Amino acid sequence: MQKKTETKTNRSIWDNTVLWAILSVLLSILIWIYYGNNFGTEMTRTFYGVEVTYVGRDAMRDSQSLIISNEETTSVTLKLSGSRRDIARLTSEDLKAVVNLSTVTSPGYRAMAYTISYPSAVNSSTIREESKQPQTVGLQISKLSSRLVDVVGHFAGTVAEGYAIDAAGMTFDPAYIALSGPEEELDQIKAASVIVDRDNVSSSFSAAANYKLVDENGEVLSFDDVTTDVDSVSVTVPVNVTKEVALDVSLIYGGGASETNVAKTIEPASIVIAGDAATINGINTIYLATIDLSDYLTYPRTELPIILPNETENLSGVSTAAVELTFSGLETAYFVVSNLDYTNLAEGYEADVMDLTLGVTVRAPADVLASIESNNIRAVADLTDITATSRAPVTVYVDGYPEAGAVGDYVLYVRVAPTTAAEDAEAAG
């Protein structure tokens, strides 16, 4: 009896018309809210930082040799309207501003229009583009160019004591870098610079090194559109031995001057040179010049060039040395010499000195000079290879006074002609 009562009660609930009506209304409200939120209500939203992308960039480079050298805008702002369901699903990362480069055929500035690309899950036909900021994308289109630049190097490390880097001898493999990019950017690039940094170096070495592109002032340049054929180079750095060597002049004593009465002053007295060990070990002195003392009454302070031996480098930063010679214990006197002669006359010729006298300056210690007379002095012209009347160089002899000598260069006019017998033989022949 109790079971029948429960069944009757359950049936009465499902058969209740009022309850069904309430459920129907609630379901309708839910459906209306869902549809309104997802389909029926429109929504407007602004998307910031939408990326600009390009179609046909590689084709433009390959077929037209053109590239984008400057992009004024890399992202845009979009205001879009559509169903709440579609708009709410979008993010700035889902959208792209697409520029078609297929119409670009020459270099120059372009203001290019773009289209909006939507994700495949969104029905783009239901979305309205309310605004775009900016309306166009500014591009600089440049001609693609190529060229080679030298690889240059600089050592920025340290060397062990007694060694030096041979900067001029640094070599690179490859020695050139091939560049490709906008012509106006390549024009700014002077070289590919390698900086080698290694400490306490005592022997030559090779290493792989990266490089940076630099301008004519050595300033580093960075261009996104410039490409290179290699990313690094092999650099070989020669390391030389260093040595301090003396500077000197070679003196030819004469004109009454000898090592006892000539003093040399040389500034600097020495320099530091670098080179291969086998070369450097054999060098102890660098001679600046050979000076014939018979040519000079005085030798004031004179700058002479420092000529380095082959395959060596001057590390001292000076290219000349000041040389001064000081004479002591010597005096000079002027003599008029009439003892004139000649030597080394060619066979078949005769000669005659045309000068009657020759003025000569003699240098010697004072006591020696006081005893010299003009008749102690001979002037002898050297006629080697002279076969016609001409000026001939002269050697001056101060006979009997080895401490004395003539100072300066002298010549005599000498008549030279074939002998009479030689002329008669030539005429008869």
Side-chain angles (χ1 to χ4, degrees):
M1 187 68 179
Q2 184 177 357
K3 185 176 181 181
K4 290 181 178 181
T5 301
E6 291 176 355
T7 302
K8 185 177 179 179
T9 300
N10 291 336
R11 287 177 179 174
S12 65
I13 292 173
W14 290 107
D15 291 340
N16 192 315
T17 304
V18 175
L19 179 61
W20 278 110
I22 292 171
L23 291 174
S24 298
V25 171
L26 290 174
L27 182 61
S28 297
I29 291 172
L30 292 173
I31 293 173
W32 179 82
I33 292 173
Y34 175 79
Y35 182 83
N37 286 341
N38 292 280
F39 298 100
T41 304
E42 282 205 347
M43 179 181 182
T44 300
R45 183 179 170 192
T46 301
F47 297 86
Y48 300 94
V50 176
E51 181 185 2
V52 176
T53 62
Y54 301 92
V55 173
R57 194 168 189 164
D58 291 342
M60 182 180 73
R61 182 187 183 103
D62 295 340
S63 63
Q64 305 290 339
S65 293
L66 297 175
I67 61 173
I68 299 173
S69 59
N70 185 48
E71 302 176 38
E72 287 185 354
T73 306
T74 58
S75 64
V76 299
T77 300
L78 305 175
K79 182 183 285 188
L80 305 178
S81 295
S83 68
R84 183 179 296 276
R85 177 177 182 273
D86 288 337
I87 296 299
R89 294 173 61 184
L90 291 174
T91 66
S92 295
E93 288 74 21
D94 296 328
L95 303 170
K96 303 295 180 186
V98 181
V99 178
N100 189 338
L101 299 174
S102 62
T103 59
V104 178
T105 58
S106 61
Y109 179 82
R110 299 281 192 283
M112 305 288 291
Y114 57 90
T115 58
I116 307 304
S117 173
Y118 298 90
S120 58
V122 174
N123 184 4
S124 60
S125 63
T126 66
I127 297 177
R128 295 190 308 276
E129 298 170 2
E130 302 292 348
S131 66
K132 300 177 180 179
Q133 292 296 330
Q135 292 286 333
T136 59
V137 174
L139 301 176
Q140 182 65 42
I141 306 298
S142 298
K143 192 71 175 176
L144 182 66
S145 185
S146 61
R147 68 186 55 181
L148 296 176
V149 295
D150 294 329
V151 179
V152 298
H154 172 66
F155 182 79
T158 61
V159 294
E161 186 176 356
Y163 295 86
I165 297 296
D166 179 9
M170 292 176 65
T171 58
F172 309 92
D173 184 21
Y176 306 93
I177 302 297
L179 307 178
S180 179
E183 189 170 16
E184 61 269 24
E185 293 182 357
L186 296 190
D187 287 342
Q188 301 177 52
I189 301 173
K190 179 66 174 179
S193 176
V194 175
I195 296 179
V196 181
D197 191 355
R198 186 174 291 193
D199 291 330
N200 203 36
V201 173
S202 60
S203 61
S204 302
F205 66 92
S206 297
N210 295 324
Y211 60 85
K212 294 184 181 297
L213 302 178
V214 297
D215 63 15
E216 60 182 6
N217 298 316
E219 297 294 329
V220 176
L221 302 172
S222 179
F223 298 118
D224 293 337
D225 296 309
V226 173
T227 60
T228 60
D229 60 337
V230 294
D231 295 326
S232 63
V233 299
S234 175
V235 55
T236 299
V237 182
V239 178
N240 291 331
V241 177
T242 64
K243 183 178 182 180
E244 184 175 4
V245 296
L247 299 180
D248 202 354
V249 290
S250 179
L251 300 181
I252 299 176
Y253 294 103
S258 67
E259 65 272 15
T260 60
N261 44 40
V262 178
K264 295 181 287 188
T265 301
I266 301 176
E267 296 179 358
S270 63
I271 61 171
V272 176
I273 63 174
D276 177 76
T279 301
I280 292 296
N281 289 340
I283 302 172
N284 296 309
T285 303
I286 295 177
Y287 286 93
L288 305 172
T290 297
I291 301 174
D292 188 344
L293 297 180
S294 64
D295 291 335
Y296 299 94
L297 282 174
T298 62
Y299 197 92
R301 184 181 178 90
T302 304
E303 293 286 335
L304 296 178
I306 301 173
I307 308 300
L308 295 177
N310 291 338
E311 301 178 356
T312 62
E313 180 182 2
N314 184 353
L315 303 184
S316 296
V318 294
S319 58
T320 63
V323 176
E324 184 175 5
L325 302 181
T326 303
F327 299 89
S328 62
L330 297 174
E331 293 186 6
T332 60
Y334 183 78
F335 296 88
V336 177
V337 178
S338 58
N339 189 0
L340 310 179
D341 203 353
Y342 59 82
T343 188
N344 297 323
L345 177 64
E347 185 178 355
Y349 287 86
E350 59 185 10
D352 182 35
V353 177
M354 301 174 66
D355 294 283
L356 299 179
T357 60
L358 179 66
V360 175
T361 298
V362 174
R363 181 171 56 198
D367 58 336
V368 174
L369 196 61
S371 62
I372 297 175
E373 302 288 342
S374 293
N375 58 9
N376 299 125
I377 303 172
R378 290 181 296 124
V380 180
D382 184 1
L383 302 184
T384 300
D385 298 327
I386 294 178
T387 57
T389 299
S390 61
R391 301 170 66 189
V394 168
T395 300
V396 176
Y397 299 93
V398 184
D399 295 328
Y401 298 92
E403 305 95 332
V407 181
D409 295 324
Y410 302 94
V411 295
L412 289 172
Y413 281 94
V414 181
R415 183 186 64 81
V416 178
T419 61
T420 303
E423 289 179 345
D424 292 343
E426 184 179 350

